[in-house]
Amino acid sequence: MDLNIKWNGDMAFSNVTPSGHDIKMDAAEAVGGKNTGARPTELLLNAVAGCTGIDIISILTKMRLEPTDFQMDVSGERADEHPKRFTTISIHYALDGDLPEDKVVRAIKLSKDKYCSVSHTLNADISVSYSINGVKGEQEL
């Protein structure tokens, strides 16, 4: 994959992804930016969630299961010192629908342990939890 990222002045950058989507990045005003785009670290957390979410939907679909709703709450803890990398990332998967818990757990584990290329690119400790129809899951992930 190749990208061409263009500097737009101050702290702003943009590009068009190989799949044709516009990305705008900028820094906060406190550090010289104009807040015209997402922070790169926000995009990174979004990328982890998007990657694993796509995996989980794909796996559940192959199991002939269709969630009626699916949301993820994602939080990232960063080191205090530069480079202020993410040290931990927590993802809570909230799924609704007629979904057997063992199948949901299998889909989450497959994404976490095998398929999500974004999370496997990071060296943060990534923890996950889940709920189905508002009931917190008990199985260890």
Side-chain angles (χ1 to χ4, degrees), residues 53-119:
I54 289 168
D55 287 343
I56 290 167
I57 290 296
S58 175
I59 293 163
L60 290 175
T61 299
K62 289 175 183 166
M63 294 176 179
R64 300 186 192 281
L65 297 171
E66 294 183 26
T68 57
D69 192 43
F70 181 20
Q71 297 181 40
M72 292 171 272
D73 293 318
V74 183
S75 62
E77 297 283 331
R78 295 177 67 190
D80 293 330
E81 301 297 320
H82 286 287
K84 297 186 180 182
R85 71 176 190 87
F86 284 108
T87 55
T88 61
I89 297 171
S90 297
I91 305 170
H92 178 81
Y93 303 99
L95 297 102
D96 289 323
D98 186 16
L99 304 168
E101 184 174 6
D102 61 325
K103 304 282 187 181
V104 170
V105 167
R106 175 136 174 83
I108 293 170
K109 283 184 175 182
L110 281 169
S111 178
K112 179 179 182 253
D113 298 335
K114 184 175 183 179
Y115 291 117
C116 182
S117 59
V118 176
S119 64

Side-chain angles (χ1 to χ4, degrees), residues 23-35:
I23 302 288
K24 294 184 187 312
M25 296 175 281
D26 200 356
E29 292 175 0
V31 295
K34 302 276 194 239
N35 195 32

